[in-house]
Amino acid sequence: MAVRGLGVRLGGVPVVRGVDLDVSDGEWVTIIGPNGAGKSTVLRAVGGLVAYTGNVELDGVDVAALSRRDRARTVATVMQQPVVPPGMRVIDYVLLGRTPYIPPLGRESASDLSVVDEVLAALDLESFAGRRLDTLSGGERQRVFLARALAQGGRILLLDEPTSALDIGHQQEVLDLIDRLRGERGLTVLSTMHDLSIAGEYADRMVLLDDGIVVAAGAPREVLTEELLAKHYRVRVKVIAGEHGPLVVPVRERHTG
Ligand code: ADP
Ligand code: MG
């Protein structure tokens, strides 16, 4: 995926400006940046959910030239707090992922249903199929959101803070799951993430966004530096070398006297 000169205006204000972004096949790239930097807006633009200027290319083809259906068959987006119709069952929600394959006014086919079964099995959700989404825990619900995106059958997964509602154990579980699926299904992942240490452990590369602009990009150890984080998050941190990437530890101000 190649993004060139991406710009988005919301309410007349430019919130994303001149963003260039490359994600190779099978790569996991994570966008970080302070609140309001434009992370979600970049994902929404790449996913075709908001109007933008500039280009988003997949395998050299401008996605603007694809039909909505073809785009949805290629790129699946999981937004931060997806709206769930009240009372909806897990299996029906995951089946929504097959919408780009179901003809207008048509019904789902046997192959749509078998894709849904396969995805529910892969995410260990079979026993939840008949449960209402509003009865699930945060971690279970996040797995269902992923299931819907996988049922869509695209090669590219856009994930907006996929673990923000989860405790540390479920964060790890969901991110390990995404990483495993990426390997098994050859998926390409573009995500945003809040927790910097966790983001750095899973991402191949990171992009630091501030005020709608890319201010740093590269391997986690190139982006997660004390200098860059101090400058763009206005925070005092210590960065420690970890086994799978830099670990970012906030440091409180020292009182003197
Ligand atoms: P992030 O995900 O990095 O926290 P967002 O992409 O959600 O940031 O938002 C980027 C900026 O766009 C923020 O300053 C936000 O206030 C602004 N914004 C979001 N939606 C609108 C809107 N509908 N109208 C005007 N500004 C908006
Ligand atoms: Mg956001």
Side-chain angles (χ1 to χ4, degrees):
M1 177 164 79
V3 174
R4 290 291 171 272
L6 187 78
V8 179
R9 297 178 78 91
L10 295 174
V13 180
V15 298
V16 171
R17 293 174 285 160
V19 166
D20 294 341
L21 198 65
D22 290 279
V23 191
S24 308
D25 261 359
E27 203 177 22
W28 185 340
V29 173
T30 295
I31 305 172
I32 59 167
N35 290 333
K39 305 180 294 296
S40 298
T41 305
V42 168
L43 281 200
R44 293 171 70 84
V46 171
L49 304 171
V50 67
Y52 60 86
T53 53
N55 284 306
V56 178
E57 288 187 358
L58 301 176
D59 298 326
V61 177
D62 192 335
V63 292
L66 299 177
S67 69
R68 281 176 71 91
R69 270 173 175 266
D70 283 342
R71 190 167 183 160
R73 290 175 185 187
T74 312
V75 182
T77 310
V78 181
M79 293 318 292
Q80 205 178 333
Q81 239 98 54
V83 179
V84 178
M88 187 171 245
R89 293 185 312 155
V90 167
I91 189 159
D92 297 316
Y93 185 78
V94 176
L95 190 55
L96 287 177
R98 299 304 294 170
T99 308
Y101 303 87
I102 299 172
L105 306 177
R107 280 194 63 82
E108 66 273 8
S109 67
S111 96
D112 293 320
L113 294 171
S114 78
V115 169
V116 168
D117 284 345
E118 186 260 331
V119 167
L120 289 175
L123 272 63
D124 216 5
L125 285 168
E126 286 151 306
S127 60
F128 294 95
R131 281 269 294 276
R132 291 168 50 147
L133 245 88
D134 47 22
T135 68
L136 302 183
S137 75
E140 292 159 355
R141 206 173 305 139
Q142 196 60 40
R143 274 183 8 241
V144 174
F145 295 148
L146 272 176
R148 180 197 154 150
L150 291 178
Q152 223 173 297
R155 296 183 291 116
I156 298 172
L157 215 47
L158 307 178
L159 305 172
D160 196 6
E161 296 193 16
T163 57
S164 59
L166 307 181
D167 66 50
I168 191 168
H170 287 95
Q171 284 186 17
Q172 203 166 53
E173 184 187 294
V174 166
L175 294 170
D176 285 343
L177 173 66
I178 293 166
D179 201 43
R180 174 167 68 74
L181 294 167
R182 176 169 78 117
E184 288 172 2
R185 295 170 184 242
L187 299 174
T188 300
V189 180
L190 176 61
S191 67
T192 69
M193 234 180 279
H194 217 67
D195 187 294
L196 300 173
S197 299
I198 292 176
E201 284 199 282
Y202 288 88
D204 298 314
R205 284 188 307 115
M206 302 179 95
V207 172
L208 174 55
L209 206 63
D210 190 6
D211 199 17
I213 292 173
V214 174
V215 291
R221 72 187 144 67
E222 295 171 302
V223 176
L224 297 177
T225 67
E226 290 170 9
E227 294 72 23
L228 281 169
L229 298 177
K231 180 165 178 206
H232 298 287
Y233 282 85
R234 287 159 207 92
V235 67
R236 289 175 311 278
V237 292
K238 268 228 115 29
V239 176
I240 303 163
E243 198 182 338
H244 300 290
L247 302 174
V248 179
V249 185
V251 183
R252 69 165 286 190
E253 193 168 6
R254 225 172 233 279
H255 288 282
T256 51

